[in-house]
Amino acid sequence: MKIEQRQKDQIEFFELDGELDFHTSPEFREKLQGLMQKQVKKIVINLKKVTYIDSSGLATFVEVLQKTKRYGGQLELTELAPAVRSVFEIAKLDKVFSLTESENEALQKLS
Amino acid sequence: MRCKITPIISLAWLGNPHLEKSFLLDADSRQLVTFRDQLRALLRNAALDEKASGEVLLAVQEALTNVLRHAYENSSGKIEVAFLEDNEKIKISICDFGKKFDLTKVPDPVLPRDKPGGLGVYLIKKLMDQVDYDTSFQEGNLLHLIKFKNRTHK
């Protein structure tokens, strides 16, 4: 899986490309841990190129959401492919996460 | 050692065409990723829609991850997987020789989860139409995951 990371206007952006599973999520989790330690307030993760997610991938997001909430940060997941969104829905996590259709919408929610 | 999930006598001549394929895997996370591609190719040719295929793929991967974590506790071991497709269903049987772990006995979690983890078994049960744990298999675990072809989605 490819992980692209960029920063703009104090917002940390991630774009993931590939499959987020038990094999790839530890690397992504490690990158996010760094942000959690710095207590980065605004994080946007674009999932449009993520074709597959498993329970390890979901667990990574749940952990990040918990930690960001704890220090008053915000996490936006955007552009989920139908197959990935459906896994969030089955786990009822679509009610917990802020899932948006576009990066613009995600940015509006952050401001 | 082999499980009792190797192909049975073909019924194709009785007008019930089916496909059977079996795989012997090492309990290794990289091999599971390779196997996912093989399973994806089999499912692509099966008469299942894309959503149902994705559900089977994820359920099988979650079941295999459980074998690594719970049956073999991240040590080495063998896993046998049998794929069967007939007119009615896709059936995937997963067999290991590790510690007993009957996932059908795991209670459903309260959703949404407020802490990471604990979703794998729930996903397997939710994504498949039928999940059977064979208690007669003494040497380890034998799990059957079934998806019916003409069933509307849950």
Side-chain angles (χ1 to χ4, degrees), chain B residues 69-120:
Chain B
R69 282 188 187 147
H70 301 293
Y72 289 125
E73 297 175 317
N74 298 316
S75 57
S76 61
K78 293 284 179 196
I79 309 172
E80 196 175 325
V81 182
F83 176 95
L84 178 144
E85 181 191 359
D86 64 19
N87 289 340
E88 297 174 335
K89 64 184 179 298
I90 302 284
K91 178 179 174 184
I92 289 150
S93 302
I94 299 170
C95 166
D96 67 70
F97 305 98
K99 202 173 138 188
K100 290 275 182 198
F101 177 67
D102 182 354
L103 61 78
T104 60
K105 298 263 168 66
V106 176
D108 284 347
V110 177
L111 296 178
R113 296 280 293 163
D114 58 359
K115 52 185 176 185
L119 284 170

Side-chain angles (χ1 to χ4, degrees), chain B residues 35-55:
Chain B
F35 174 68
R36 188 191 304 158
D37 290 335
Q38 292 174 303
L39 181 59
R40 191 177 273 132
L42 277 174
L43 289 167
R44 203 173 290 135
N45 292 324
L48 276 183
D49 63 39
E50 202 181 321
K51 185 171 188 284
S53 292
E55 290 172 349

